[in-house]
């Protein structure tokens, strides 16, 4: 007997038939003798619909009121699912954030979890009830409802699993696991049986986006056994854990692409100490995240520094730098927002030289020019022209998963 937290996303509970199906998965798990805590998202696209309605009533509605409204989606979900499970003759109770004591800070719309009371949950489990809990929402010290940010139900589930010391946290979604790349766009992808937390985090931040990022960070921090699987197929999914056995010969677990990126180049900077410090502390003060950084070798009195930011930070970054043109002393600022980042991720890269070279070879053979490169222990990213991005992903994926793959 184990304690299992299961989370079902919007599509998985998108209507009566879907909820009936999910109820079957839940009750089967319960019938196997497990304690089951279930976290649900709002049905289908209901959260989007609520936001659209809010905008009709007031396009400038406060985040507090938005949370008040958005959280109702999850509340309906758990109540309806509980009714369905009741109808099947099982003991079940639905609980919201207030009833459980799922506490967050006061950042409406993007709240962080501060503490979870487990007494009520435990009480219900002790009475052998299936517990359904509202994902996405929390309660702050003012007693107000908060939400954890879009897609936050994954994080609710992992947080509950951590607080309850659950044996397993299963995230049921509409894809049947984590793939070597986006299966809808890239040919020849396959599902990964296992992936490390670190790889999963890198894949999420480079655009694979199966799980809410914070849920993976939390799973890593609290050693929560995670599994991503489909509520549609009933097939085994992808396990996310600390260390994985490598089944494939390839040292790479995935290839991802991020088009939400822009490059800035400061050309003709003075070649003297403190310049990089000055530039990047200005950006950091404004909370602008800088990703790939490249500095040229100084020539004579001058050097160039280029770096990337997300597209949404581009305008602010440009402004900050233009405003300081004289103090920073650069000749010109060049901007290119038609770029994309293509990354390979794999814990198996550590101690295996040549992985990066293989990636570059694949790009060379495809005639794709690399603008910038950055590497970490488990990732190699290159910046390419946006037009080349899809071709680049396919070429790199072919290289690692067709030539060397199983
Ligand atoms: N219902 C929320 C959303 O659509 C939370 C979630 O689905 O994870 O963002
Ligand atoms: Mg989601």
């Amino acid at each position: 007997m184990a304690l299992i937290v299961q989370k079902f996303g919007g599509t998985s509970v998108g209507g009566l038939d879907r909820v009936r199906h999910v109820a079957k998965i839940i009750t089967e798990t319960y019938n196997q003798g497990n304690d089951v805590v279930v976290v649900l998202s709002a049905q289908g696209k209901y959260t989007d619909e609520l936001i659209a309605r809010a905008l009709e009533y007031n396009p400038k509605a406060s985040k507090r009121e938005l949370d008040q409204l958005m959280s109702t989606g999850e509340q309906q979900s758990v109540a309806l699912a509980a009714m369905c499970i009741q109808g099947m003759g099982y003991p079940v109770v639905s609980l919201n954030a207030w009833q459980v004591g799922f506490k967050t800070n006061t950042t409406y719309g993007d709240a962080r979890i501060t503490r979870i009371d487990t007494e009520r949950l435990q009480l219900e489990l002790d009475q052998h009830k299936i517990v359904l809990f509202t994902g996405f929402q929390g309660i702050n010290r003012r007693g107000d409802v908060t939400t954890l940010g879009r897609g936050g139900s994954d994080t609710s589930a992992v947080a509950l699993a951590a607080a309850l010391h659950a044996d397993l946290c299963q995230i049921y979604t509409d894809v049947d696991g984590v793939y070597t790349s986006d299966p809808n766009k890239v040919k020849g992808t396959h599902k990964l049986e296992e992936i490390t937390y670190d790889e999963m985090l890198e894949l999420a931040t480079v655009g694979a986006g199966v799980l809410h990022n914070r849920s993976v960070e939390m799973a890593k921090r609290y050693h929560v056994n995670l599994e991503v699987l489909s509520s549609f197929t009933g097939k085994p999914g992808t396990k996310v854990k600390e260390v994985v056995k490598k089944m494939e010969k390839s040292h790479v677990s995935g290839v991802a692409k991020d088009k939400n990126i822009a490059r800035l180049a400061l050309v003709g900077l003075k070649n003297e100490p403190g310049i990089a410090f000055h530039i990047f502390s200005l950006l950091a003060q404004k909370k602008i995240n800088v990703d790939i950084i490249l500095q040229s070798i100084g020539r004579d009195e001058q050097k160039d520094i280029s770096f990337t930011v997300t597209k949404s930070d581009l305008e602010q970054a440009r402004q900050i730098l233009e405003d300081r043109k004289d103090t920073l002393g650069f000749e010109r600022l060049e901007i290119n927002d038609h770029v994309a980042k293509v990354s390979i991720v794999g814990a198996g890269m550590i101690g295996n030289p040549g992985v990066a070279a293989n990636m570059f070879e694949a790009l060379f053979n495809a005639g794709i020019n690399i603008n910038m490169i950055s590497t970490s222990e488990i990732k190699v990213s290159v910046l390419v022209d946006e037009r080349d991005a899809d071709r680049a992903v396919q070429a790199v994926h072919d290289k690692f998963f067709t030539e060397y793959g199983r």
Side-chain angles (χ1 to χ4, degrees):
M1 191 189 108
L3 170 53
I4 300 180
V5 174
Q6 299 183 318
K7 181 257 169 179
F8 295 91
T11 336
S12 299
V13 292
L16 178 56
D17 286 344
R18 295 301 317 157
V19 174
R20 281 195 179 132
H21 179 70
V22 160
K24 234 187 268 160
I25 297 177
I26 296 169
T27 52
E28 271 164 22
T29 313
Y30 178 83
N31 284 340
Q32 286 157 11
N34 301 301
D35 283 338
V36 189
V37 175
V38 180
V39 174
L40 298 183
S41 291
Q43 293 186 287
K45 298 247 169 275
Y46 196 64
T47 311
D48 292 328
E49 288 165 28
L50 289 172
I51 294 170
R53 270 181 81 189
L55 293 177
E56 266 174 42
Y57 281 71
N58 177 1
K60 294 206 179 95
S62 69
K63 293 208 162 119
R64 181 195 180 276
E65 296 309 330
L66 274 168
D67 279 0
Q68 184 87 332
L69 183 71
M70 280 193 290
S71 58
T72 62
E74 272 67 16
Q75 188 141 334
Q76 293 185 31
S77 243
V78 289
L80 291 168
M83 292 170 196
C84 194
I85 294 173
Q86 264 175 358
M88 295 163 73
Y90 287 86
V92 58
V93 61
S94 73
L95 296 172
N96 65 19
W98 170 253
Q99 291 163 321
V100 164
F102 193 101
K103 314 257 172 65
T104 71
N105 68 8
T106 54
T107 315
Y108 299 103
D110 193 25
R112 303 291 137 147
I113 302 161
T114 51
R115 188 200 143 82
I116 300 171
D117 298 334
T118 52
E119 293 89 88
R120 177 71 191 269
L121 288 164
Q122 203 53 62
L123 199 82
E124 304 291 354
L125 290 174
D126 290 346
Q127 294 172 13
H128 303 292
K129 284 189 199 151
I130 295 169
V131 179
L132 306 188
F133 178 68
T134 48
F136 187 45
Q137 62 174 251
I139 200 91
N140 68 20
R141 61 180 153 73
R142 296 180 194 132
D144 280 350
V145 181
T146 56
T147 66
L148 305 181
R150 296 304 307 275
S153 296
D154 296 338
T155 300
S156 308
V158 172
L160 270 193
L164 292 166
H165 306 287
D167 299 285
L168 177 64
C169 180
Q170 297 181 308
I171 309 277
Y172 281 91
T173 169
D174 49 2
V175 295
D176 56 1
V178 181
Y179 278 72
T180 50
S181 199
D182 183 345
N184 299 316
K185 298 212 179 98
V186 180
K187 287 197 280 293
T189 57
H190 68 260
K191 191 169 66 189
L192 296 161
E193 277 172 37
E194 302 184 327
I195 186 170
T196 67
Y197 298 121
D198 289 327
E199 288 173 326
M200 188 66 210
L201 278 172
E202 290 292 0
L203 283 176
T205 45
V206 291
V210 186
L211 290 177
H212 198 227
N213 242 7
R214 275 158 55 200
S215 72
V216 185
E217 280 164 11
M218 194 175 293
K220 177 178 152 83
R221 191 163 346 119
Y222 295 101
H223 308 284
V224 174
N225 270 321
L226 258 189
E227 187 178 0
V228 181
L229 63 180
S230 163
S231 67
F232 293 80
T233 64
K235 291 199 202 120
T238 301
K239 297 202 168 69
V240 191
K241 46 194 198 175
E242 194 71 48
V243 195
V244 307
K245 294 189 301 292
K246 272 282 158 230
M247 301 302 287
E248 11 261 315
K249 286 187 224 106
S250 171
H251 302 302
V252 172
S253 293
V255 184
K257 161 188 86 178
D258 184 2
K259 286 192 172 174
N260 178 25
I261 188 169
R263 177 176 64 160
L264 296 96
L266 291 160
V267 181
L269 284 160
K270 275 180 272 177
N271 190 14
E272 58 186 35
I275 293 285
F277 164 62
H278 197 164
I279 295 168
F280 295 112
S281 53
L282 281 169
L283 297 168
Q285 275 162 27
K286 296 287 178 205
K287 302 243 183 308
I288 294 175
N289 246 322
V290 173
D291 188 21
I292 309 177
I293 301 175
L294 188 74
Q295 177 179 305
S296 68
I297 294 176
R299 45 180 152 63
D300 306 326
E301 305 292 285
Q302 293 195 321
K303 64 184 172 190
D304 309 329
I305 291 183
S306 13
F307 57 92
T308 62
V309 297
T310 60
K311 280 200 172 116
S312 54
D313 283 340
L314 174 61
E315 194 38 45
Q316 206 191 358
R318 191 189 63 77
Q319 197 67 52
I320 291 168
L321 296 169
E322 291 285 9
D323 287 351
R324 309 292 195 298
K325 188 161 195 255
D326 293 338
T327 31
L328 291 170
F330 55 90
E331 263 167 24
R332 59 179 196 281
L333 173 61
E334 287 176 7
I335 283 174
N336 185 350
D337 61 357
H338 295 289
V339 289
K341 183 170 71 166
V342 173
S343 306
I344 52 172
V345 173
M349 283 181 206
I350 303 171
N352 282 299
V355 175
N358 285 334
M359 179 188 197
F360 305 151
E361 185 188 3
L363 294 168
F364 166 66
N365 288 337
I368 293 165
N369 190 37
I370 301 172
N371 292 313
M372 288 170 107
I373 300 171
S374 85
T375 64
S376 78
E377 271 199 325
I378 66 159
K379 182 169 86 161
V380 181
S381 299
V382 298
L383 198 75
V384 300
D385 201 294
E386 195 177 57
R387 282 176 317 203
D388 294 332
D390 291 329
R391 240 164 25 87
V393 172
Q394 188 67 59
V396 171
H397 191 276
D398 287 348
K399 179 83 186 163
F400 287 103
F401 297 102
T402 313
E403 275 182 44
Y404 300 128
R406 33 178 154 198

